[in-house]
Amino acid sequence: LASKPAPQRLAGRHVVVTAGPTHEPIDPVRYIANRSSGKQGFAIAQALTDLGARVTLVAGPVALATPRGVTRVDVETARQMADAVDAALPADAAVMVAAVADWRVAQVADQKLKKGAGQPELELVANPDILASLAAHTHRPKLVVGFAAETERVVEHATAKRAAKQADWIVANDVSGDVMGGDANAVQLVTADGAERWEHAPKAVIARRLAERIADAL
Ligand code: CTP
Ligand code: CA
């Protein structure tokens, strides 16, 4: 059974996936970033490909091999990620798994900041919200899926994000345990119908389940 190929339910569909962190430079050697291994996003790209989808995977800096059959676009910053997502359109669905840095440094130093010069004053400016922009886009994919990593009141926060960003679904990720960087995940799928708790499972299993749900919806 394990070797039986999955039916190509997503043949002819294009799905854009973002994964990993973004790095926002401070100077040539330092950056601001979110914690993210990229494992869940890469597993989703793989699962969508296994169902026959054409997948564009926009990846921040991660140490992961490209899943077989996936078109990978490597980026560093949130603004580069936003541009790469735009360039990948049109798409039938988008799954935004990336842990995008919410802020970047207003003035990136040309030279390495030196300790001796005292504490640097870093002015931060907000990065574009890639998910919200995509959901409001003229070429909005039919299905827009976001992730929400939360440490408390998981469904409440995810439900608020779904509304604020006009996403169809939010995969609410409880990161209060040892999920970060690990191989398993505890998620709840928040849709217009409410929240559905999925069994704690390996990221590959969560990915396959989400891919099947995306196939159901398209
Ligand atoms: N996201 C995005 N662009 C950003 C920030 C977030 O596309 N600049 C996407 C993420 O990829 C994820 C979803 O939005 O799919 C939720 O990200 P999250 O960081 O949980 O939400 P925020 O709105 O940034 O709220 P906060 O970090 O304050 O909880
Ligand atoms: Ca954020």
Side-chain angles (χ1 to χ4, degrees), residues 37-61:
S37 67
K39 285 177 182 174
Q40 185 65 80
F42 274 56
I44 290 166
Q46 174 77 76
L48 291 163
T49 305
D50 289 346
L51 294 187
R54 179 165 72 83
V55 175
T56 304
L57 173 60
V58 182

Side-chain angles (χ1 to χ4, degrees), residues 18 34 78 81 95-103 127-132 145-150 157 161 165 170:
T18 68
N34 280 37
M81 185 172 276
V95 190
M96 315 305 263
V97 199
V100 182
D102 292 311
W103 304 279
N127 267 331
D129 191 310
I130 302 165
L131 172 59
V145 183
F147 266 66
E150 306 289 352
H157 284 305
K161 279 178 188 173
K165 296 170 186 256
I170 293 282

Side-chain angles (χ1 to χ4, degrees), residues 19-205:
T22 64
H23 286 182
E24 310 297 331
I26 295 170
D27 69 13
V29 301
R30 304 182 179 94
Y31 58 81
I32 298 174
N34 280 37
R35 235 186 249 288
S36 171
S37 67
K39 285 177 182 174
Q40 185 65 80
F42 274 56
I44 290 166
Q46 174 77 76
L48 291 163
T49 305
D50 289 346
L51 294 187
R54 179 165 72 83
V55 175
T56 304
L57 173 60
V58 182
V62 293
L64 295 173
T66 308
R68 200 166 358 96
V70 166
T71 301
R72 175 174 177 173
V73 181
D74 284 313
V75 298
E76 188 183 358
T77 68
R79 286 187 295 175
Q80 290 167 356
M81 185 172 276
D83 289 346
V85 167
D86 254 21
L89 297 179
D92 300 289
V95 190
M96 315 305 263
V97 199
V100 182
D102 292 311
W103 304 279
R104 67 177 180 275
V105 175
Q107 302 284 345
V108 178
D110 296 341
Q111 304 297 334
K112 183 182 177 186
L113 300 174
K114 300 302 286 179
K115 281 193 293 193
Q119 231 89 273
E121 297 269 334
L122 296 181
E123 189 195 333
L124 300 179
V125 293
N127 267 331
D129 191 310
I130 302 165
L131 172 59
S133 306
L134 187 68
H137 204 283
T138 26
H139 300 296
R140 184 194 197 280
K142 181 179 175 200
L143 184 70
V144 175
V145 183
F147 266 66
E150 306 289 352
T151 57
E152 56 172 4
R153 296 189 293 161
V154 175
V155 169
E156 185 185 327
H157 284 305
T159 303
K161 279 178 188 173
R162 181 180 171 272
K165 296 170 186 256
Q166 295 288 292
D168 298 297
W169 302 346
I170 293 282
V171 181
N173 199 353
D174 186 342
V175 294
S176 58
D178 59 354
V179 161
M180 304 298 306
D183 291 316
N185 221 346
V187 307
Q188 303 201 46
L189 183 66
V190 177
T191 70
D193 301 329
E196 193 183 299
R197 184 184 291 277
W198 289 6
E199 221 172 292
H200 186 270
K203 287 178 178 175
V205 172

